[in-house]
Amino acid sequence: QVHLVESGGGSVQAGGSLRLSCVVSGDTYSTNCMGWFREAPGKEREGVAVIERDSDIRYYGDSVKGRFTISQDSAKNTVFLQMNSLEPEDTAMYYCAADPGDCYYSDHLINPEFTYRGPGSQVTVSS
């Protein structure tokens, strides 16, 4: 059993920053690929960023490259998403998610599907 809990969402003006955190508990060995995807009303699910916990390899969605950074604190079983230069288009529910195997750009960013996911954290960016 894997439990993911996000925190750090909120409301911010365009150009501002937020940092999301995701704490992993339970069977942490089944969470080698961890990341974030987002969902907004009327839009398709979008992969944001993923990181491999064993190798630290990272992938980013095209819309967030250069603005968002994914990182991890292995000792605390926590993954972070630092979001800078936020835009109104970034407004969405952000979900922390995990898969047991390696991260793949196609599987986890283009058509994001994960075995585990958290309840989500709302991010709202106003213009």
Side-chain angles (χ1 to χ4, degrees):
Q1 192 80 359
V2 172
H3 296 282
L4 308 174
V5 179
E6 307 94 339
S7 63
S11 298
V12 66
Q13 288 192 327
S17 300
L18 286 172
R19 188 173 85 153
L20 300 178
S21 300
C22 175
V23 178
V24 184
S25 62
D27 183 11
T28 58
Y29 291 103
S30 295
T31 60
N32 184 53
C33 178
M34 288 200 63
W36 302 84
F37 67 89
R38 64 190 184 185
E39 293 181 342
K43 296 184 179 180
E44 292 186 355
R45 177 182 295 185
E46 181 181 9
V48 176
V50 292
I51 184 170
E52 286 188 5
R53 299 185 71 192
D54 58 356
S55 66
D56 211 42
I57 292 174
R58 310 173 195 194
Y59 300 107
Y60 294 92
D62 288 343
S63 64
V64 306
K65 282 180 183 176
R67 301 188 298 123
F68 291 11
T69 302
I70 190 170
S71 61
Q72 63 174 327
D73 183 336
S74 298
K76 296 182 179 180
N77 285 317
T78 303
V79 175
F80 305 98
L81 184 69
Q82 178 66 43
M83 304 183 291
N84 298 329
S85 301
L86 282 161
E87 304 167 351
E89 293 74 23
D90 295 316
T91 295
M93 184 71 80
Y94 284 71
Y95 295 92
C96 177
D99 252 355
D102 293 339
C103 293
Y104 295 97
Y105 191 87
S106 58
D107 291 347
H108 297 113
L109 288 178
I110 296 179
N111 295 301
E113 291 292 342
F114 294 83
T115 303
Y116 308 103
R117 61 185 279 179
S121 182
Q122 178 67 37
V123 171
T124 302
V125 185
S126 58
S127 57

